[in-house]
Amino acid sequence: MSKSAAIRLHENDDVIIATQQLMPGNTLAEFDVVVADLVPPGHKIATRAIKAGEPVRRYNQIIGFAKADIGAGKHIHVHNLGMGEFERDLAIGQDKHDTPPAAQPATFMGYKRRNGKVGTRNYIAIIASVNCSATVVRNIANHFTPQRLAEYPNIDGVIALVHQTGCGMNSAGEGMQILRRTLNGYAVHANVAGAVFVGLGCEVAQVGPMVAELGSMEPGMLQTLNIQDLGGTSKAIERGIEQVTAMLPAVNAYKREPVPVSNLIVGLNCGGSDGYSGITANPALGGAVDMLVAHGATAILSETPEIYGAEHLLTRRASSKDVADKLLARLAWWKDYTARNGGEMDNNPSVGNKAGGLTTILEKSLGAVAKGGTTNLNAVYEYAELVTAKGFVYMDTPGYDPVSATGQAAGGAQVICFTTGRGSAFGCAGVPTIKFATNNVLWNRQRDDMDVNTGDMLDGVTMQEVSQRIFDAIIRHASGEKTRSEALGYGQDEFLPWHVGAVM
Amino acid sequence: MSKSAAIRLHENDDVIIATQQLMPGNTLAEFDVVVADLVPPGHKIATRAIKAGEPVRRYNQIIGFAKADIGAGKHIHVHNLGMGEFERDLAIGQDKHDTPPAAQPATFMGYKRRNGKVGTRNYIAIIASVNCSATVVRNIANHFTPQRLAEYPNIDGVIALVHQTGCGMNSAGEGMQILRRTLNGYAVHANVAGAVFVGLGCEVAQVGPMVAELGSMEPGMLQTLNIQDLGGTSKAIERGIEQVTAMLPAVNAYKREPVPVSNLIVGLNCGGSDGYSGITANPALGGAVDMLVAHGATAILSETPEIYGAEHLLTRRASSKDVADKLLARLAWWKDYTARNGGEMDNNPSVGNKAGGLTTILEKSLGAVAKGGTTNLNAVYEYAELVTAKGFVYMDTPGYDPVSATGQAAGGAQVICFTTGRGSAFGCAGVPTIKFATNNVLWNRQRDDMDVNTGDMLDGVTMQEVSQRIFDAIIRHASGEKTRSEALGYGQDEFLPWHVGAVM
Ligand SMILES: [Ca+2]
Ligand SMILES: [Ca+2]
Ligand SMILES: [Ca+2]
Ligand SMILES: [Ca+2]
Ligand SMILES: [Ca+2]
């Protein structure tokens, strides 16, 4: 067999994954395995003899326990692998371990801000407090065309952050808190050198109190205006243009300089996933995350509906009981949220999942969680909360891509890593979004939208190699190289604060 | 006293409203009233002797019952006016009455479509099935600049209808039904001569099934594309531009011609209301609605949170028990919707409302309901349902302006009449939105955004005169005169399908 007939996702794993249909007697030389059963592509093969009751690992994480003795080379699936006692045991902190720091600290070229944060881009953001100011915001931002910014080569642009809410909502509810955190998070974001908040005047989400929460910003770099105070649309646009124009010299004064990778906060996301996501792009991204963590950086896993029911995957890695408890509290919130909206959380493997080779909910969720690598879980954040911890952290978000990435960006992510198998069309406002294709077909068909291929892992390129490729791409794009979605103009229409609560 | 010291809202009313502070002994000659109490501005004065237990009318509608005998000229407020038995009696159909048709049917200049509908504008709409296609949609629409459309003078433009949802949601839930109704309603809208649906490919809100619900459109005038099928962003934009380009000659072939006003569907809305809204713009708009109904047209009242608790105002006018029951069912839905989102419906007059002169929940709600005039309630629609009934109808929407108007437009409204006291900055996508100022201060301060003043009712201009002014403005703008919000470029960022349900 060619060396692409199966794939190993972690050196500690008890299984390899077939990448084509295998027959009894096929020899997989580099894994030292002789196949003992008919194994469909995407399904698991034991690489060693496993005793009944022993844990089985994929991505170096437990996906279940052998229900019977399993010989080397045997097909592993629902007939011989189950959840065992695992589902009643959160095993908090049981897999906690030290991550040795990288020998040679890597750097990228970033914009150092006076408050110590480091940007990967240098934007001015025009922020709508309410949908009613969206058109004014767009007009202010659109005024600053590349031609008008030609004298300011260090400015990446003036972006419009508009949204659909800010009024017709409970002024004290969770929805308003989330909106404020999101807008304020963007205002203080390392990629945003200056911000103008634009309100209508009579909305629920008043600009004054919102901005008051921000604390001190650099002089002149936080401005506000209200359309009604100024006498309408045209005057408001004019004022906003003046405010931004006054900021341009100071924003342009920022220059890129070498800074340690420990300043990076990377948001992890996936959308339009396919059967390869959990085999190629996601675990390879996880490998890059382990490297980032070794360099002292931060990586944010999210998308709570995709880990629901498999929270053990994260609680085992929790650095403390507090961290695990916070995660469990968010899962409880979700159960209530979906129930009161007439739905339910159900992340169990479907018939189709099982046909594709996914045996347990742990293994299914691992497909998504694999993005987060294998280091300790150091903190859990609510949606759009400011991320301050280092290492691997979790932020509670929906799985819906634009909403999830907007929360990560508001929390401080200066790079988003996004894996896709079906071909996502997404870019995050103000934050470079690197798109990883999970398979060669997508890579070739939709090159226009994809930044990095990981599909060649199925041709035998090692995960280590692809993880390094991803790490390098993060450094490159953090240092200024435009991503495909930036080149295509994505971002402003994909700024989506999570909408929770009634629209009244 | 000058004749602007008080205002009469309907000839059948038992009260007039003070527009300045009045003292005992002041004579209001044109109302034949001598003021008998101290009456603050905005408060009510009895124009005749009212016996205890008798109903008291404002806008020709019952706002409560006298708790004691009230002499002519006396101040009417919480001390002598209450709800009486009214709150337990929906009095379905009790105020039902015939509206005589207008003697001289009025016309406007509209675009007659082959299916019998009549447009007030002539647009091509690019419709996103999901947020993931928003940037492609924007780019297709933005290609068709005024310069590129110069050869097609009868086309008003190519508009982008993008939104924040379409995935990360229950595929069978209420939220998805509402989204489909809204997008499909726009596709078949009389102002939309051609439509292109743009999907990503892997989203929950699939384009194929959505478009299948539309039935037959004119040949070539409904196109679809999926970004993933076409190999990415740039190719999808290119295809969309080709599809629109092919439509241009047929769309440009439509010409305005005189058509009866009976073809109009007018959406009624208010936002940024003030103490004058219920005295000037809203009742004057109601007068214009009564004229529209006499001409055989349709007018849609909405904004359910603002009538909650005062549904008697509408059930009394219901043309049938079915119509009343449908309204009550929507109110029950709202009670549940807000409860499950951790809030409650409460539209009772606040301390501030009472200080301003509003006595009962009926009177408060009448401030909003007055926009709907006085004719029979002929039908009740859910959000974004296609409106087919003639006369005065109700559509259940939130009060939040952009969401409410988007539902009315999706239901078929070709004109939106929008009253505002604080100065709203709103324009509806594809549908001319006429903005009515409730007071002279706003009119003078924010002329840029306002189309018509009604504040001079406080200077003694009669409601009949202002209602005629509104009716004339509707005809004028329906016939092609641009509204202020159209001139300022509002619409695309204000397209907001109601978001109901969990974001997952
Ligand atoms: Ca634009
Ligand atoms: Ca995902
Ligand atoms: Ca996602
Ligand atoms: Ca209102
Ligand atoms: Ca409203």
Side-chain angles (χ1 to χ4, degrees):
Chain A
M1 302 300 293
S2 83
K3 73 172 181 173
S4 63
I7 196 165
R8 177 189 284 285
L9 296 169
H10 195 278
E11 55 184 346
N12 296 350
D13 284 0
D14 305 305
V15 300
I16 51 177
I17 316 297
T19 57
Q20 58 186 66
Q21 181 172 294
L22 300 177
M23 301 293 290
N26 286 158
T27 300
L28 303 170
E30 83 277 30
F31 303 115
D32 203 14
V33 164
V34 178
V35 177
D37 289 314
L38 176 76
V39 181
H43 285 236
K44 295 174 290 298
I45 303 155
T47 54
R48 63 170 185 89
I50 301 164
K51 289 216 160 56
E54 280 189 347
V56 175
R57 288 177 185 265
R58 172 179 180 164
Y59 313 97
N60 195 25
Q61 306 218 32
I62 295 171
I63 58 169
F65 296 84
K67 294 198 283 193
D69 290 351
I70 303 172
K74 296 292 285 180
H75 181 208
I76 297 188
H77 204 11
V78 288
H79 61 289
N80 56 11
L81 183 71
M83 288 279 280
E85 291 300 300
F86 203 84
E87 60 192 312
R88 281 178 296 279
D89 181 10
L90 292 163
I92 292 171
Q94 198 166 298
D95 285 352
K96 195 170 85 173
H97 62 282
D98 287 340
T99 296
Q104 295 240 306
T107 61
F108 72 102
M109 297 293 290
Y111 294 101
K112 275 170 99 165
R113 308 294 180 195
R114 287 189 208 134
N115 61 9
K117 292 186 186 183
V118 178
T120 62
R121 295 292 182 271
N122 196 30
Y123 280 106
I124 295 169
I126 318 300
I127 302 174
S129 66
V130 62
N131 179 261
C132 308
S133 51
T135 290
V136 167
V137 165
R138 288 260 188 199
N139 275 281
I140 296 169
N142 287 347
H143 174 82
F144 295 93
T145 58
Q147 292 73 32
R148 288 207 172 95
L149 291 176
E151 294 173 59
Y152 305 98
N154 298 330
I155 301 181
D156 284 302
V158 179
I159 49 172
L161 300 179
V162 308
H163 54 89
Q164 306 215 332
T165 178
C167 209
M169 63 198 296
N170 182 342
S171 63
E174 207 164 24
M176 182 59 70
Q177 291 165 24
I178 286 176
L179 179 65
R180 282 189 178 199
R181 281 206 302 267
T182 308
L183 301 183
N184 284 350
Y186 257 93
V188 301
H189 195 281
N191 287 6
V192 172
V196 180
F197 275 82
V198 180
L200 174 59
C202 59
E203 67 273 25
V204 168
Q206 287 280 303
V207 164
M210 197 161 353
V211 166
E213 289 173 3
L214 286 176
S216 70
M217 302 263 294
E218 289 182 37
M221 291 296 122
L222 174 64
Q223 300 289 349
T224 65
L225 65 90
N226 272 321
I227 298 169
Q228 289 170 350
D229 294 347
L230 291 171
T233 302
S234 305
K235 287 171 194 158
I237 294 169
E238 201 180 310
R239 171 69 62 89
I241 290 171
E242 286 166 14
Q243 290 172 325
V244 173
T245 302
M247 291 177 183
L248 296 175
V251 177
N252 191 57
Y254 285 106
K255 308 261 183 304
R256 287 190 186 273
E257 56 191 297
V259 285
V261 163
S262 60
N263 289 290
L264 279 183
I265 304 175
V266 177
L268 310 171
N269 232 296
C270 56
S273 297
D274 69 353
Y276 300 109
S277 299
I279 299 175
T280 58
N282 288 3
L285 177 54
V289 164
D290 285 350
M291 295 165 70
L292 286 168
V293 171
H295 281 282
T298 303
I300 312 170
L301 185 73
S302 295
E303 305 185 284
T304 309
E306 294 171 23
I307 61 143
Y308 189 86
E311 45 275 22
H312 330 63
L313 295 170
L314 293 168
T315 52
R316 291 183 79 88
R317 300 161 62 183
S319 62
S320 73
K321 185 165 182 311
D322 273 4
V323 166
D325 286 347
K326 194 155 177 203
L327 181 71
L328 298 173
R330 293 315 299 163
L331 288 158
W333 182 93
W334 269 91
K335 200 170 167 178
D336 175 61
Y337 172 61
T338 47
R340 68 184 192 253
N341 282 286
E344 61 174 17
M345 300 292 278
D346 176 13
N347 185 31
N348 283 302
S350 63
V351 172
N353 289 154
K354 286 179 183 164
L358 297 177
T359 306
T360 64
I361 193 172
L362 294 167
E363 188 178 13
K364 180 183 178 182
S365 296
L366 260 176
V369 170
K371 298 192 296 293
T374 60
T375 65
N376 296 347
L377 174 66
N378 287 340
V380 172
Y381 294 97
E382 290 195 37
Y383 185 86
E385 260 192 296
L386 285 183
V387 171
T388 53
K390 294 292 184 181
F392 172 65
V393 304
Y394 192 85
M395 177 182 285
D396 176 30
T397 76
Y400 186 36
D401 312 332
V403 174
S404 177
T406 297
Q408 294 177 331
Q414 319 104 314
V415 173
I416 304 284
C417 287
F418 193 109
T419 67
T420 182
R422 313 256 323 249
S424 155
F426 173 75
C428 183
V431 178
T433 303
I434 312 173
K435 299 252 269 302
F436 300 96
T438 69
N439 64 82
N440 297 333
V441 173
L442 169 63
W443 174 247
N444 291 321
R445 191 189 67 220
Q446 209 167 323
R447 277 299 302 270
D448 196 23
D449 294 305
M450 296 296 125
D451 294 286
V452 176
N453 188 22
T454 68
D456 54 359
M457 278 174 72
L458 300 169
D459 307 328
V461 178
T462 64
M463 204 186 85
Q464 287 74 359
E465 206 171 324
V466 177
S467 292
Q468 183 67 51
R469 182 191 298 162
I470 292 173
F471 183 83
D472 294 344
I474 292 169
I475 303 300
R476 216 164 55 235
H477 289 296
S479 298
E481 187 182 305
K482 272 199 161 50
T483 60
R484 289 302 306 144
S485 56
E486 288 177 289
L488 290 166
Y490 279 90
Q492 295 183 130
D493 282 310
E494 291 77 24
F495 173 74
L496 261 70
W498 189 10
H499 184 94
V500 175
V503 179
M504 309 217 13
Chain B
M1 301 301 290
S2 82
K3 72 172 181 172
S4 65
I7 196 166
R8 177 190 284 285
L9 297 169
H10 194 279
E11 56 185 342
N12 296 351
D13 284 359
D14 306 305
V15 299
I16 52 176
I17 316 298
T19 57
Q20 58 187 66
Q21 182 171 294
L22 300 176
M23 300 293 289
N26 286 157
T27 301
L28 303 170
E30 84 278 29
F31 303 114
D32 205 14
V33 164
V34 178
V35 178
D37 290 314
L38 176 76
V39 182
H43 285 234
K44 296 174 290 296
I45 303 154
T47 54
R48 63 171 182 88
I50 301 164
K51 287 217 160 57
E54 279 189 348
V56 174
R57 288 177 186 265
R58 172 181 178 161
Y59 312 97
N60 195 26
Q61 307 218 31
I62 294 171
I63 56 169
F65 296 83
K67 296 199 281 194
D69 289 352
I70 302 172
K74 296 293 285 180
H75 180 208
I76 297 189
H77 203 11
V78 288
H79 61 288
N80 57 10
L81 183 72
M83 288 280 281
E85 290 300 298
F86 203 84
E87 60 192 314
R88 281 178 296 280
D89 181 9
L90 292 162
I92 292 171
Q94 198 166 297
D95 284 352
K96 195 169 85 172
H97 61 283
D98 288 340
T99 297
Q104 295 239 309
T107 61
F108 72 102
M109 297 295 289
Y111 294 101
K112 276 169 97 164
R113 308 295 180 193
R114 286 188 207 134
N115 62 7
K117 291 184 185 182
V118 178
T120 61
R121 295 293 181 270
N122 196 31
Y123 280 107
I124 295 169
I126 319 299
I127 302 174
S129 65
V130 61
N131 180 260
C132 308
S133 51
T135 290
V136 167
V137 165
R138 287 261 187 197
N139 275 282
I140 296 169
N142 287 348
H143 173 83
F144 295 93
T145 57
Q147 292 72 30
R148 288 207 172 97
L149 291 175
E151 295 172 58
Y152 304 99
N154 297 330
I155 301 181
D156 283 302
V158 178
I159 49 171
L161 301 179
V162 308
H163 54 89
Q164 307 215 331
T165 178
C167 209
M169 63 198 295
N170 183 342
S171 64
E174 207 164 24
M176 182 57 72
Q177 291 164 25
I178 285 175
L179 179 65
R180 282 189 179 200
R181 282 205 301 269
T182 308
L183 301 183
N184 284 349
Y186 257 92
V188 301
H189 194 281
N191 287 7
V192 172
V196 179
F197 275 82
V198 180
L200 174 59
C202 60
E203 68 272 25
V204 168
Q206 288 281 303
V207 165
M210 199 163 349
V211 166
E213 289 173 3
L214 286 176
S216 70
M217 300 263 294
E218 289 184 36
M221 290 296 122
L222 174 64
Q223 301 288 350
T224 65
L225 65 89
N226 271 320
I227 298 169
Q228 288 169 350
D229 295 348
L230 292 171
T233 302
S234 304
K235 288 171 192 156
I237 293 169
E238 200 180 310
R239 172 69 62 89
I241 289 172
E242 286 166 14
Q243 290 172 326
V244 173
T245 302
M247 290 177 182
L248 295 175
V251 177
N252 191 57
Y254 285 105
K255 308 262 182 309
R256 287 190 186 273
E257 55 192 297
V259 285
V261 163
S262 59
N263 289 291
L264 279 183
I265 304 176
V266 177
L268 310 171
N269 232 296
C270 55
S273 297
D274 70 353
Y276 300 110
S277 300
I279 299 176
T280 58
N282 288 2
L285 177 55
V289 164
D290 286 350
M291 294 166 70
L292 285 167
V293 171
H295 281 283
T298 303
I300 312 170
L301 184 74
S302 295
E303 305 185 283
T304 308
E306 295 171 23
I307 61 142
Y308 188 87
E311 46 275 22
H312 331 62
L313 295 170
L314 293 168
T315 52
R316 292 182 77 89
R317 299 160 64 182
S319 63
S320 73
K321 184 166 181 312
D322 272 5
V323 166
D325 287 346
K326 194 157 178 200
L327 180 71
L328 298 173
R330 293 314 301 164
L331 288 158
W333 180 93
W334 269 91
K335 199 169 168 179
D336 176 61
Y337 172 62
T338 47
R340 69 184 191 253
N341 282 286
E344 60 174 19
M345 299 292 279
D346 177 14
N347 185 32
N348 283 303
S350 63
V351 172
N353 289 153
K354 287 178 182 165
L358 298 177
T359 307
T360 65
I361 194 172
L362 295 167
E363 187 179 14
K364 179 183 179 182
S365 296
L366 259 177
V369 171
K371 298 191 295 293
T374 61
T375 64
N376 296 346
L377 174 66
N378 286 340
V380 172
Y381 294 97
E382 290 194 38
Y383 184 86
E385 263 192 295
L386 286 182
V387 171
T388 53
K390 294 291 185 182
F392 172 65
V393 305
Y394 192 85
M395 177 182 285
D396 176 29
T397 76
Y400 185 36
D401 311 332
V403 174
S404 178
T406 296
Q408 293 177 331
Q414 318 106 316
V415 173
I416 304 284
C417 288
F418 193 108
T419 67
T420 183
R422 312 258 320 253
S424 155
F426 174 76
C428 184
V431 177
T433 303
I434 312 172
K435 298 253 269 303
F436 300 97
T438 68
N439 65 82
N440 297 335
V441 173
L442 169 63
W443 174 248
N444 290 322
R445 191 189 66 220
Q446 209 168 324
R447 276 300 301 271
D448 196 24
D449 294 306
M450 296 295 125
D451 295 287
V452 177
N453 187 23
T454 68
D456 55 358
M457 278 175 72
L458 300 169
D459 307 327
V461 177
T462 65
M463 203 185 85
Q464 287 75 0
E465 207 172 322
V466 177
S467 292
Q468 183 69 50
R469 182 191 299 163
I470 291 173
F471 183 83
D472 293 345
I474 292 170
I475 302 299
R476 216 163 56 233
H477 290 296
S479 299
E481 187 182 306
K482 272 199 160 51
T483 60
R484 289 303 305 146
S485 55
E486 288 175 289
L488 290 166
Y490 279 89
Q492 294 184 133
D493 282 309
E494 291 77 23
F495 173 73
L496 262 71
W498 189 11
H499 185 94
V500 175
V503 179
M504 308 214 20

